[in-house]
Amino acid sequence: MAELYRNQSLAEQNSVDLAWDLFMDPRYNKLKECIAASEEERKRFRQLLVNCVMATDIFDPTMKALRNKRWDKAFHQDKSTSEALSGDEDRNTKATIVIEHIIQAADVAHTMQHWHIYQKWNE
């Protein structure tokens, strides 16, 4: 597995692959149509899924740097530069990055619950 995922975020990448394979099963065609009707939307959804799951890998310095760079680009860019995003693109980028950080916070906070609550939800 380490070779397959180039020794990076093994558990996270494996989880995405397993979930995506299940999602692509023909039994879920109606769900896929609701979430992403076109191939372009499906690619966007997959990227969102990958980014969110990968955000739970808090130990990889490369991933952290990429997240920080995307955060800075979305929230601290000079709107007069040529890299300025359109209104929808800007909102989508910001929403995606905020979702990633919320998932990361939830993932970390999960381990900081009172012991009896942690045990209840992890038995």
Side-chain angles (χ1 to χ4, degrees):
M1 190 182 307
E3 212 174 281
L4 176 64
Y5 299 123
R6 295 183 308 250
N7 235 10
Q8 293 182 314
S9 308
L10 305 180
E12 292 82 4
Q13 290 193 68
N14 187 54
S15 295
V16 169
D17 282 348
L18 292 172
W20 191 256
D21 287 347
L22 184 61
F23 181 66
M24 298 303 344
D25 188 290
R27 294 177 294 173
Y28 302 106
N29 282 345
K30 288 185 180 181
L31 177 62
K32 284 186 284 199
E33 289 171 14
C34 290
I35 292 174
S38 69
E39 183 63 27
E40 182 180 335
E41 289 174 352
R42 194 173 345 254
K43 286 179 183 177
R44 173 81 174 115
F45 176 72
R46 180 173 170 80
Q47 189 61 55
L48 177 62
L49 174 70
V50 168
N51 287 351
C52 288
V53 174
M54 295 304 287
T56 65
D57 185 352
I58 60 172
F59 295 108
D60 185 330
T62 304
M63 294 302 297
K64 183 180 182 329
L66 287 171
R67 280 191 299 274
N68 289 346
K69 183 179 177 183
R70 288 191 5 257
W71 179 276
D72 288 343
K73 183 177 180 183
F75 290 102
H76 301 149
Q77 72 177 353
D78 179 5
K79 299 298 181 192
S80 65
T81 67
S82 61
E83 291 186 39
L85 304 173
S86 70
D88 283 345
E89 193 176 15
D90 185 51
R91 275 189 300 281
N92 289 339
T93 299
K94 287 177 179 175
T96 299
I97 293 167
V98 169
I99 288 169
E100 291 171 24
H101 281 79
I102 289 170
I103 288 174
Q104 184 181 69
D107 186 55
V108 171
H110 169 72
T111 63
M112 296 178 189
Q113 301 173 45
H114 288 286
W115 182 245
H116 69 281
I117 294 173
Y118 181 85
Q119 284 182 308
K120 176 183 176 181
W121 291 103
N122 289 284
E123 290 179 340

